[in-house]
């Protein structure tokens, strides 16, 4: 399941592995100009240095990414 959410000037991409048995491969990329962060279980944001992500999402787990809206 994938959800795109917005709060104030931030966007969130929530990717959930709904399979409670098997891990799910996740691979994505974004523009260099987008400063993407990853939201941890404790709510802390860790900025990602590379404009891509490739990993396994564990069974029943989620990945939450955050970035700022582009100015209009």
């Amino acid at each position: 399941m994938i959800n795109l959410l917005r709060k104030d000037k931030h966007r969130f991409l929530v990717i959930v592995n709904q399979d409670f048995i098997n891990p799910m491969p996740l691979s994505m990329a974004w523009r260099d100009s987008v400063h993407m962060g990853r939201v941890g279980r404790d709510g802390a944001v860790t900025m990602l240095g590379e404009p891509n992500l490739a990993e396994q999402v564990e069974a029943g787990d989620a990945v939450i990414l955050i970035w700022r809206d582009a100015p209009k």
Side-chain angles (χ1 to χ4, degrees):
M1 175 176 68
I2 298 173
N3 283 307
L4 182 59
L5 307 169
R6 178 185 304 203
K7 182 176 180 187
D8 300 323
K9 294 182 180 182
H10 290 93
R11 292 280 187 119
F12 298 86
L13 181 64
V14 182
I15 303 164
V16 179
N17 180 1
Q18 293 182 308
D19 187 331
F20 286 95
I21 299 171
N22 301 303
M24 173 185 77
L26 172 63
S27 178
M28 57 185 295
W30 50 89
R31 293 184 189 140
D32 286 331
S33 61
V34 176
H35 300 288
M36 188 75 67
R38 182 172 181 161
V39 180
R41 293 186 187 282
D42 61 356
V45 175
T46 302
M47 298 309 293
L48 301 175
E50 297 293 322
N52 58 62
L53 181 67
E55 64 180 63
Q56 294 285 321
V57 181
E58 293 302 319
D61 203 359
V63 172
I64 302 174
L65 301 174
I66 183 174
W67 68 97
R68 289 184 63 89
D69 261 341
K72 294 180 181 182

